[in-house]
Structure formats: C-alpha cells, structure tokens
Amino acid sequence: MSSKLAKYLTSSLKKYSQRRLVSLKTDFMMHRYSYHDIFTYARKFVTYLQNKNIKKGDRIVICSYNCPQYIYAFIASILYGAILVPLDYSLSSDFIEKIIKETDAKLIITSIYKIIEPEIEIINVEELDSVLKGLRKEAKINKSSDNDLLQILYTSGTTSDPKGVLLTHENIYSNLTAIQQVINIKESYKFLSIIPLSHSFEQISGFFAVMTSGAQTIHMRARKPSQIIKLMQKEKVNTLVTVPAFLELLKKKIEEKARETRRYDRLQHLLSVSKYMPLAVRKALLRRVRQAIGKNLNLIVSGGAPLNPETEIFFENIGMKVVQGYGLTECSPVVTVNHENYKQVNSAGLALPGVKIKLDKQGEILVKGKNITKGYYKDIPKTNKLFINGWLKTGDIGYFDDRGFLFIKGRKKDIILKSSGLNVYPEDIELLLNKHPLVQESCVIGRESDGDIKICAVLLLKSHVKNPDKSAQNIVNQVNKSLEQHQKIQEHFIWKKKNFPKTPTLKIQKRFVVNEVEEFFRGKIRAEKQKDDLHVLLSKLSGRERIKEKDYIFRTLRLDSIQIIELSLMIEEKFHIEIDEQQINSKTRVMDLRKLIKSAKAKKPRVRLSKKYYWSIVTPFRFILQELVFLVVKKYCKITVEGYENIKGLEGQFLIVANHESHMDAPAILKHLPAAIRFKTATAAAADHFFINKRIIDHRILLSRIVKLLYGAYPFDRRQDFKISLEFTGELIDHGLSVLLFPEGGRTPTGKIGAFKAGVGIIVKESCLPVIPVRINGFFNIFPKKSIWPKKTGKVEILFGSPVEYRANESVIDITKDLEKTIRSMR
Amino acid sequence: MKIRTGIDIVEFDRFKERVNNPDFLKKIFTDNELHNKQVESLAGTFALKEAFFKATQIKIKNWKDIEIKKSRMGKPIIDFLNLNLEKNIHSVDCSVSHENKMVVAIVVLLLKS
C-alpha cells in the first residue's frame, strides 16, 4: 500500500539517481545533493522518525529556510505518512508555539538561527546530515495512501485565527500531474528558489515539479536581492519561480543600471523595437540587458498575485518567456495557467486539465476537482463557508474571454503579497488598529516602494486627539509589537478628512484611499531623496527626527552597543560594505562615520581568482615544473617521509593542513601526495606576499603567475579580503579540488609552530571535508624566513597523519585547536 | 602579574527584539552557542563577550573568535582563539547574573607581566 504521489516520487528519485537535485549556497560554500543523496537521507530520516517514536499520522512542524534538509524531510514524511506543518521562517516564536500546541505536533525541524523554546523534540537543519549519518536506511517506507493528509498549510496571519488548509496526497498528485501535462519541464532546467517552501506555489513548482522531471533547484540561505542576482549569474540559473513583487524589483534593477550607464534611452528604444521581433532576435538584441540579471534566464513563472502587464511585457521584450498562473492554497494551489507558447498577456490562463471552473451570478470564481482541499484544520464553520454545492468559493471575481482564458477582475479578500512571497491580510492589522482607543477607523494598504510592497496604515484618528503626528507614531509602535515580522506597519498616513470614502454597503473604497496616499508619498519621496541615506539610518535607530553631522554617536544619539551592531548590519545592507564596529567609539561623530563608510567603499577587492590554472591541460606543465623545483629541494634536503601508509591510495577531496616552515613546504608536500590528489590540489597562499602588486613594476606580477602554475596557488588574505578568500576556497572545493592550507597564516619566524588561525576551522566546518594533517620538520634550518635561497643542507621530516573527519556540530574554535594539537603532537 | 576586568550589562527586552534577526545572531554567536535556544542564556553570552572585549581591550572585535561554553556545573567558561593574546593571559574567570530585566556579566583576566 502506498499513495500514487509516494510512488511517483520514489520512481523519479531512482530514475534520475545520478543527477543533481538541489544545491544550497551557504556563506561561501555550495553544498550539492544528487537525487540519490536525497533519497538516502530521506530513508535515513524515516529511521530517525521511528527512533523518536513518531508514527504515521503524527504532525511534524517544519520552520526553516529552504534547504536540502527541508526537501528530504519533506519526502520522508510523505513516504512515511507523517503530516507536515510547514511554517514560514520569519514567524515569531509565539505563533510557532501556538501552532505546535494546536496541531499537537511531536517534532519541530528548525534552524539554529531560530530562537524558540517549544516543549517538544527539536532538531536543527544544520545538524541533520550529521545526525542521520550513522542511521540505517529504512527499506519499508511506503506507508501512505491517497486519502492520507499530507500537510496542514497555514495561510492567515496571527491576529485573526490562523487557518490551516488540509491537503492530501491525492490533492498534490492531481495538481502536479495536471501541471506536467501542460508545462514541459526539461531535465536541463535549473531553478532558483526564492519563495519559502511553506508557500504552496513554491512547493508545487520549485519542489514537486522539479524533482519529478529530473531538473534541479538551488537554495540560498541569504535572501538579499543583490545576492540573489549574483547567484543567478554565477550558477547559470535558467528558470525562476517567483512573485510579482520580485519581478518588479528585477525590472527596477535593470532600469537603474541603464540609467547609471546612461543607456536608459537606448534601452527604451530597443524595447519599443524588439516587441516586433522573433524571440531569438530579441535575445540577441538585448543580450547586454539580460546579463545584468543573469544571461541564462529564459523562463519566469509568476504566481501568488496578478502581475502588472507592463512588467510582463517588459520581460517578454528582453527575450524571456513569462508564464503566469492563478491559484490558491486551498487548490494545492494551481487552478489556471498560461502555456509557454499559447498565452494571453494579463490573463490568468486556461483551466488545468481535471479542474472545473464556473462563475456564479456575481462573477465569483468557483472551482471543483481532485486538487481541492477537504477544508480547514479543526474549523468546521469556516470549512462549511468555503463550499457551495460541492464547489469551492475562491472569493475572487473573474470573467472568461471567448478562447477560455480566465481574467481576474478583483478579489473579495484583499491580500498584500510581499516580495518574499508572504501574504499579509490587511484585516488582521486593521482589527488591531481599530481596537486602539485613539483610532476612529483605519485602512491598511500595500504600497510599492524600494522594490518591495510596504505595509501602509491609513489612520482616521478620533477628533479629540491633540498631537496627531506623535500619537499616530505611538499607535503604530504599539500595534507593531503584537504583529508578525512580515505584517509590521512600515509607513503610516493620517487621513485628514472626516470619513473614508465608502461603498453603499459601508465598505471602505480602498481604491480612492490608495490614490490619495500615493499622491502624498510621491511628494514625500521627493523630499526624502534629498535626505542623506546615513541620516535616514541613524534617525531610524535613534528615533530622532533630525540628525546633525556634528552629533556624537554615543553621547548625542544615545545608541547602545546592540544598536551599534545593528547599525553596522544596516550599513552593510545599504552600502554593501563592512565597517569595523570597534572604530566607533565615544569620540565618533556622524561625520566620522561617513568617512569610515567612504574609506570602506573605496576599498576594492585586491585579489581575483582565475580558474584557468586548474584546467586539466595545465597538469603536465605543472608536473614538469614541480619536478624541477623538487630537484633543487632535493639538492639541499635529505627528506624522510613517515606515515605514508596513512594516505596511500587515497582518492577524492581533502583539506591538507600543515605547519609552515619555508617556501619549500608546498613543493615537498605536493610531491609526496598520491597522484590522484596531487594534481587536483589548490594551495592557499598569502595574498600580500604573492599576489598584490605594490608598485607598477613588481616582482609579484611574475611571481603570482609562477606559483599559480606551480602549486595551483590562489590568494588568501586573513585580514582585508578574508570573506572573498573564503569564497575562493569554496569555489575551488566546488570545482572538485583539494586545498592545501597553512593555518599559521605565514612562515614561522622562530622555528616553532605558531598559533593556528580560525580560518582553517571555518573551512573545515563549512566544507565537511576530511583533513589530512601534515607535520613538517627541518626546513626552517635550511631555508628560514627572510632568506632568498637555502642557506645549508640538512635533514627534513614530512609526517602524514591519517585523515580526520570532524562532525558538523563541532565548533570552529574546537576544530582549530584540535588540529593545532594534532600537528604539534606528530613526531 | 596584572589584573584586568571588564563588565557589561544588557537589557533583556531590548535584546529579545534582536534575536528575530538571523543576521544579528550570525554575527555575534557561534553555531554551538546557538544550540542553546534560551533567550536569557544568549543575552548572558552576549554580555560576557562584550565584557571580555572590554577586559582585553583588543582592537578588532571578532565576535566568533570567542566562544562561551558551560562547565558541568553550569558555570560559563570563555574559550578563545586570538592566540596572540593567550601568550599574555595567565587565566580568565567570568560570571553572569540575571535579574528580572537585566543581565550582567563580568570578566577578570590575570595577565603575565
């Protein structure tokens, strides 16, 4: 007995076994998982569930950013028949704990970056891989049936009672297969996932459809737009599943870039011409434009909210295919979709096969099909209200054209959709605002600004309120305390008229309110633009309206140490630079801070990574050169190797960690590594010593090329470019190379082993690669620091230790100290 | 021998508002410290690190070069990597106290002269 969905998933996990399914970009590493890896972990996770005494039908809450662990936990609970309760990562701990109680969940899967204290079993995605490592793969896993509940998806906010939509295996299966009949997802598709997996739209398109088509998807821990775009370019992403707000943001980025490079007029001109061209010509014509967001991007799937037709046409004109659909969580979720080649701009598309749609007298869209929910969790009254004669009431008003394309005219429930994919229900916020003693009535709208939809509260205050500006701010602050992160009011506006414009049924006519508010903000933006970015940040933190250049950060603005950290995070986000908080002290004024930012901004990364030195065509040259250098080494040193049995015949990727006595260390170590590792090793070399030119004519110009060719050296800088150096390391490891590291950060000046730097611990922990410890003994006497040629001859020992594997939950400091101890104790 | 002290106080409510920000957590705490999901204890860890920086007077605040661990008795222990310092430090002791809305931490260093 097993459900059709479970069978479908298992068969494709087996079918595409060797293909890559999902990659996760963490701070500087790409962690890649094949279909086989995911299946193995999923089966181990089933064992884990059994060990924790979780049974079929038990609820499991999952609250994490998108990651491979999310995927295999999801698959495991589908196969095992556990009911998943996905919650958005940004929800507050109070809300999460409330849902845990309500669903009587037995386990929560979350992240170490989520601070919650539930009374049930808790496991973090970051440690899941290593926890599962030792467990056996469960063989008998298909325990679910079609009518079993697969998940409870919560759609509403906090203040009104949360609604949990019940979705069965059958619901998802019917929707998934219907979509696949219409849209042909190819194995070559590479998705970038930016909407949370707690959203049904992302689940079906970015997860179920991907993994049953042999395609792959990329997850990322960070969610900043600049990082998303960078990853899209680097990973050659060709398919994007997203919400309209994010597309608006992309469009804005492109236009901004065109303005910056003074090509805006040309862009507009090209766009006006390109619409008459066939797709291939459009692509060639606007190649440069597409490069700004990743030239491989071909297909954009938009859902969740109606896409502005202008934006849709914009992306079509620059040579992409845009597919829009319509759906709601209650329909698992897709109802109608446009086809790649048979589409209608501004329309929600054609009904999916197997989904019946009709309109009632008022034009409300009613839906029927196997993809429709059974109802809401533990809420019979709301469930009853959802259906009429077996048809699901969507609450949206629409009409069909004569070809059968559905157009959405309006929504009964107005929802604000943020670029992160989160829904905000205005009535949740209005309810709280209206309860406030100083508020007569309120109206919450979504306003596009800075590339996202901002929550704007329009307040009609009671007539006796004396200081409206101040009271309004207080009201907003108070109400925000009881709202979830994504619901928080970001802007407010005081309605000066006596009443809101209303319909005959006394509903606020939001259209008119929006017009008036937009008018006001347009004026405000003009004023804000003249204000300085830094002042805006500081006034946000200190709560002061006016910031002066001569203000002291601590004394005048009264920022405390936590706020200083926040300030540095905000500066990082706004100006894309890092400043050293330690430089902000009691004497720092606003103008000094500005200087700090300016000098940090002027600093450009001084090093670059060139991968061409790792092409296999280089290997023969490298071999010859290394042997030549080794002839010199051998002339001066009598080398004895110990512990060779520890590394004999090893294959695969390793981190080779050694103490550093002289320039002869690297050639001597490389020479004695097994060939399978030797020619696939990159060496981390001091950036300032080998790579950064200090004069126009510098010996480093030549030197850097020699060491790159000879040892596969790449620049590593512990100080200024530390983050970039880590990223280089991550890229090389992703490229399949081993890395030779000298964690003392330089050659020893005394002959004794110096202290190891934390960098090695970070690399070991993040990469999860086994470490070969190497101890060098004797080079110091022959070729010490500050000499340019070996001084004398002598004996040298190279000791190889057996590979060490560290577990993912060991701390960076412990790993660093342990490695130092290991290498010190090798004799 | 020389003695150095550092002290720091954290207002609990203000700290609690910040823990929803993953960027904040990531900047300050090591993964191991984050395994303990009690906000009180994180506030204590934060205060201890701040007090340690004050006592050592080091220039570059690398929050993750220091890790706060617990002894079997529950007493906090400071583990740190900045080994140029370790040469001068003979021993370290620290203590944290929680009271209603405040967390206070003190660090005492004994330096080799």
Side-chain angles (χ1 to χ4, degrees):
Chain A
M1 182 181 77
S2 73
S3 75
K4 284 197 285 275
L5 181 68
K7 272 188 207 151
Y8 193 24
L9 295 188
T10 352
S11 76
S12 63
L13 282 169
K14 284 180 187 156
K15 185 173 164 195
Y16 302 112
S17 174
Q18 293 313 314
R19 292 187 64 84
R20 187 179 290 154
L21 171 55
V22 52
S23 311
L24 172 70
K25 166 87 182 178
T26 57
D27 293 340
F28 67 92
M29 275 293 304
M30 281 305 278
H31 298 272
R32 318 251 185 209
Y33 292 73
S34 68
Y35 279 73
H36 177 78
D37 297 335
I38 291 291
F39 196 27
T40 309
Y41 276 119
R43 287 162 72 182
K44 287 183 171 187
F45 194 71
V46 172
T47 310
Y48 174 84
L49 293 178
Q50 284 167 341
N51 290 351
K52 293 286 170 198
N53 204 19
I54 288 164
K55 299 198 176 59
K56 190 187 164 204
D58 280 348
R59 266 78 60 205
I60 300 171
V61 171
I62 183 161
C63 176
S64 149
Y65 49 87
N66 297 0
C67 57
Q69 289 75 21
Y70 202 126
I71 299 284
Y72 68 66
F74 208 144
I75 295 172
S77 32
I78 291 171
L79 300 181
Y80 187 60
I83 299 164
L84 218 57
V85 186
L87 293 178
D88 189 84
Y89 184 47
S90 65
L91 290 168
S92 72
S93 51
D94 292 342
F95 183 78
I96 296 165
E97 276 158 37
K98 183 175 160 185
I99 298 294
I100 288 175
K101 281 220 178 80
E102 191 176 287
T103 56
D104 190 24
K106 294 281 184 315
L107 169 74
I108 171 165
I109 304 165
T110 183
S111 152
I112 52 170
Y113 301 113
K114 190 91 221 167
I115 306 302
I116 34 171
E117 302 170 55
E119 285 155 5
I120 56 168
E121 189 79 38
I122 180 165
I123 177 93
N124 297 315
V125 288
E126 289 85 358
E127 52 187 345
L128 207 46
D129 281 12
S130 66
V131 166
L132 298 183
K133 213 154 223 172
L135 298 182
R136 73 192 156 81
K137 290 187 278 182
E138 178 58 52
K140 289 183 216 149
I141 35 179
N142 291 339
K143 293 186 175 175
S144 46
S145 65
D146 283 339
N147 279 323
D148 281 348
L149 210 52
L150 187 149
Q151 58 176 339
I152 306 171
L153 261 183
Y154 279 88
T155 63
S156 188
T158 39
T159 38
S160 68
D161 288 326
K163 281 188 298 187
V165 179
L166 303 172
L167 294 175
T168 63
H169 286 234
E170 171 89 60
N171 289 155
I172 299 285
Y173 181 77
S174 72
N175 208 236
L176 173 63
T177 44
I179 292 169
Q180 283 178 325
Q181 280 177 45
V182 178
I183 297 174
N184 178 22
I185 297 167
K186 298 185 189 103
E187 284 181 22
S188 59
Y189 280 15
K190 207 169 189 182
F191 285 73
L192 179 67
S193 163
I194 47 178
I195 316 174
L197 275 165
S198 53
H199 201 294
S200 53
F201 176 48
E202 173 68 19
Q203 284 184 359
I204 205 88
S205 50
F207 166 46
F208 286 114
V210 167
M211 70 156 292
T212 49
S213 313
Q216 61 167 307
T217 183
I218 294 163
H219 292 165
M220 58 191 304
R221 209 148 69 178
R223 257 154 74 169
K224 289 174 194 147
S226 58
Q227 282 164 312
I228 294 175
I229 292 170
K230 211 169 128 193
L231 198 63
M232 259 163 43
Q233 292 165 332
K234 210 167 212 169
E235 283 291 316
K236 302 187 173 126
V237 169
N238 52 29
T239 314
L240 194 63
V241 176
T242 186
V243 288
F246 185 75
L247 288 177
E248 300 288 344
L249 192 145
L250 277 187
K251 182 175 164 231
K252 219 169 229 174
K253 285 255 149 151
I254 293 173
E255 287 172 343
E256 238 168 56
K257 189 131 198 207
R259 273 202 194 98
E260 262 171 36
T261 51
R262 306 226 176 96
R263 292 207 182 95
Y264 188 72
D265 293 336
R266 217 169 109 198
L267 172 69
Q268 292 305 330
H269 183 67
L270 275 176
L271 286 176
S272 63
V273 192
S274 75
K275 60 183 161 200
Y276 305 109
M277 314 268 181
L279 186 67
V281 180
R282 261 181 277 162
K283 274 192 172 165
L285 218 68
L286 287 122
R287 189 172 34 92
R288 297 275 293 276
V289 180
R290 296 198 350 271
Q291 263 165 10
I293 54 169
K295 60 174 186 254
N296 300 76
L297 192 60
N298 273 326
L299 180 66
I300 295 172
V301 184
S302 169
L307 178 63
N308 184 349
E310 258 173 55
T311 312
E312 189 174 347
I313 292 164
F314 174 85
F315 282 102
E316 296 251 316
N317 284 351
I318 64 171
M320 292 172 191
K321 285 181 182 170
V322 183
V323 173
Q324 206 189 164
Y326 161 74
L328 48 167
T329 308
E330 285 85 345
C331 305
S332 345
V334 183
V335 177
T336 62
V337 70
N338 275 290
H339 302 192
E340 234 174 281
N341 302 315
Y342 184 63
K343 58 172 283 184
Q344 176 67 48
V345 173
N346 202 20
S347 148
L350 300 163
L352 270 190
V355 179
K356 284 184 213 154
I357 310 179
K358 70 173 185 186
L359 305 174
D360 73 359
K361 277 177 198 151
Q362 282 89 38
E364 183 173 349
I365 303 164
L366 306 177
V367 192
K368 205 174 189 176
K370 280 186 179 168
N371 59 327
I372 308 296
T373 174
K374 281 180 180 165
Y376 298 118
Y377 184 63
K378 283 187 183 166
D379 198 336
I380 294 167
K382 274 198 189 128
T383 304
N384 289 339
K385 266 197 223 160
L386 187 63
F387 294 100
I388 183 163
N389 302 328
W391 290 80
L392 177 117
K393 297 201 285 186
T394 61
D396 298 324
I397 313 290
Y399 64 92
F400 290 102
D401 73 357
D402 40 12
R403 287 192 299 168
F405 281 94
L406 179 69
F407 289 80
I408 310 293
K409 229 167 45 178
R411 304 205 165 203
K412 265 195 187 167
K413 301 172 265 187
D414 56 332
I415 304 171
I416 301 167
L417 181 69
K418 306 206 68 171
S419 72
S420 59
L422 282 173
N423 280 330
V424 177
Y425 293 78
E427 65 258 34
D428 283 352
I429 306 167
E430 284 160 9
L431 204 74
L432 277 180
L433 285 170
N434 294 346
K435 270 189 203 157
H436 197 281
L438 298 181
V439 176
Q440 178 79 36
E441 201 174 2
S442 69
C443 159
V444 171
I445 54 174
R447 236 182 48 76
E448 202 207 309
S449 127
D450 279 346
D452 197 4
I453 310 288
K454 289 207 166 138
I455 309 293
C456 174
V458 187
L459 302 167
L460 179 62
L461 299 175
K462 290 207 171 136
S463 52
H464 61 79
V465 177
K466 285 201 181 98
N467 190 345
D469 287 329
K470 209 171 174 186
S471 327
Q473 186 62 52
N474 283 339
I475 294 165
V476 169
N477 288 347
Q478 279 173 35
V479 168
N480 269 347
K481 273 188 190 154
S482 37
L483 288 170
E484 289 295 320
Q485 198 58 39
H486 64 282
Q487 296 175 311
K488 285 200 183 353
I489 300 166
Q490 290 157 298
E491 313 176 315
H492 63 270
F493 175 82
I494 301 166
W495 194 258
K496 297 271 166 55
K497 290 174 194 161
K498 272 198 172 154
N499 243 320
F500 281 121
K502 292 201 172 159
T503 61
T505 51
L506 290 181
K507 268 190 171 173
I508 299 175
Q509 286 184 300
K510 288 202 173 170
R511 251 181 322 135
F512 296 111
V513 178
V514 169
N515 285 344
E516 196 139 327
V517 172
E518 284 295 340
E519 193 59 42
F520 165 79
F521 275 103
R522 251 184 298 234
K524 201 175 167 190
I525 286 167
R526 252 174 268 139
E528 283 250 317
K529 273 224 170 116
Q530 285 155 16
K531 245 196 199 171
D532 169 80
D533 284 339
L534 185 61
H535 283 194
V536 175
L537 287 188
L538 286 169
S539 74
K540 209 188 249 175
L541 272 176
S542 64
R544 277 161 195 255
E545 195 61 34
R546 291 197 54 193
I547 305 287
K548 288 187 221 119
E549 284 294 294
K550 281 188 177 171
D551 284 348
Y552 287 97
I553 305 287
F554 282 106
R555 236 182 301 159
T556 329
L557 302 177
R558 300 201 158 270
L559 297 189
D560 64 13
S561 60
I562 299 182
Q563 282 170 323
I564 295 294
I565 297 168
E566 280 192 307
L567 177 66
S568 80
L569 288 172
M570 282 161 125
I571 288 175
E572 212 182 309
E573 171 125 28
K574 187 92 205 169
F575 302 99
H576 308 293
I577 50 145
E578 267 183 82
I579 56 158
D580 181 7
E581 303 137 42
Q582 192 63 24
Q583 289 190 28
I584 305 172
N585 53 37
S586 57
K587 284 179 194 144
T588 313
R589 298 167 187 240
V590 175
M591 48 202 239
D592 302 323
L593 189 60
R594 189 181 302 284
K595 269 185 214 150
L596 261 178
I597 294 172
K598 211 172 171 187
S599 71
K601 244 187 166 169
K603 273 187 206 159
K604 290 230 166 76
R606 299 172 300 172
V607 282
R608 234 164 26 91
L609 179 66
S610 47
K611 274 204 206 147
K612 58 178 182 229
Y613 287 91
Y614 305 103
W615 291 349
S616 53
I617 196 166
V618 181
T619 310
F621 297 100
R622 181 165 295 157
F623 173 73
I624 293 165
L625 271 172
Q626 281 186 1
E627 291 298 321
L628 283 176
V629 169
F630 196 69
L631 281 179
V632 179
V633 174
K634 232 164 65 180
K635 206 177 154 219
Y636 289 90
C637 317
K638 192 174 179 305
I639 297 176
T640 48
V641 178
E642 271 176 57
Y644 187 70
E645 67 279 3
N646 291 328
I647 56 163
K648 202 179 164 192
L650 281 184
E651 273 177 43
Q653 273 180 288
F654 294 89
L655 294 173
I656 302 140
V657 176
N659 63 316
H660 204 6
E661 290 197 337
S662 79
H663 284 321
M664 286 172 166
D665 298 352
I669 292 171
L670 287 170
K671 161 83 187 170
H672 293 100
L673 287 174
I677 305 175
R678 176 177 171 185
F679 297 108
K680 280 187 140 191
T681 296
T683 307
D688 49 345
H689 199 288
F690 293 103
F691 291 93
I692 299 162
N693 304 331
K694 288 177 184 142
R695 297 171 289 266
I696 296 172
I697 298 170
D698 195 311
H699 67 282
R700 289 179 190 86
I701 298 173
L702 186 64
L703 189 62
S704 66
R705 285 179 170 81
I706 293 174
V707 291
K708 274 195 253 183
L709 189 60
L710 193 53
Y711 313 130
Y714 71 95
F716 198 100
D717 186 352
R718 162 80 182 149
R719 268 160 261 119
Q720 194 184 320
D721 297 324
F722 183 54
K723 267 196 176 163
I724 302 170
S725 305
L726 285 181
E727 223 156 274
F728 289 170
T729 313
E731 251 181 79
L732 293 170
I733 292 172
D734 192 36
H735 200 68
L737 296 164
S738 296
V739 179
L740 171 59
L741 297 164
F742 297 105
E744 290 160 273
R747 287 165 296 158
T748 168
T750 58
K752 287 181 188 154
I753 296 179
F756 280 20
K757 300 262 163 60
V760 69
I762 297 174
I763 295 170
V764 171
K765 190 180 160 76
E766 275 276 312
S767 69
C768 305
L769 290 180
V771 183
I772 301 176
V774 183
R775 167 75 189 254
I776 299 269
N777 211 350
F779 277 124
F780 179 74
N781 298 323
I782 300 163
F783 192 6
K785 204 171 175 174
K786 286 187 180 150
S787 50
I788 48 168
W789 198 253
K791 284 205 301 204
K792 54 178 180 184
T793 55
K795 280 183 188 170
V796 175
E797 276 182 313
I798 302 174
L799 298 97
F800 289 103
S802 50
V804 196
E805 271 189 68
Y806 290 93
R807 283 185 317 181
N809 55 2
E810 255 163 303
S811 85
V812 170
I813 294 175
D814 287 345
I815 293 173
T816 313
K817 282 190 170 174
D818 185 73
L819 271 172
E820 190 183 327
K821 217 175 96 193
T822 311
I823 289 175
R824 273 178 199 274
S825 66
M826 283 163 72
R827 293 224 158 256
Chain B
M1 294 268 185
K2 269 189 202 162
I3 292 180
R4 285 244 186 94
T5 59
I7 187 165
D8 191 57
I9 186 162
V10 170
E11 202 182 319
F12 186 65
D13 283 350
R14 287 172 65 93
F15 182 79
K16 201 176 172 180
E17 284 170 30
R18 308 312 195 278
V19 299
N20 277 330
N21 180 358
D23 288 338
F24 176 78
L25 295 177
K26 216 165 172 181
K27 188 172 178 112
I28 308 297
F29 301 106
T30 68
D31 289 4
N32 274 26
E33 287 163 348
L34 288 172
H35 276 289
N36 187 339
K37 290 190 184 276
Q38 283 170 319
V39 187
E40 286 90 344
S41 139
L42 283 178
T45 302
F46 177 76
L48 270 173
K49 287 192 173 189
E50 195 64 287
F52 183 82
F53 285 130
K54 280 187 188 170
T56 54
Q57 299 172 354
I58 37 177
K59 292 251 164 64
I60 301 160
K61 265 192 201 177
N62 205 341
W63 293 89
K64 286 179 166 180
D65 273 356
I66 313 161
E67 187 164 270
I68 312 295
K69 294 175 171 170
K70 287 255 166 77
S71 77
R72 235 179 268 155
M73 308 292 287
K75 182 184 160 56
I77 301 166
I78 301 184
D79 196 4
F80 51 93
L81 250 194
N82 205 321
L83 293 125
N84 294 333
L85 265 174
E86 202 167 309
K87 277 182 204 151
N88 306 316
I89 293 174
H90 184 267
S91 65
V92 189
D93 193 37
C94 63
S95 184
V96 191
S97 184
H98 298 250
E99 168 68 46
N100 218 354
K101 286 184 173 169
M102 293 292 182
V103 180
V104 62
I106 185 162
V107 171
V108 179
L109 302 175
L110 208 52
L111 298 182
K112 292 175 201 161
S113 49

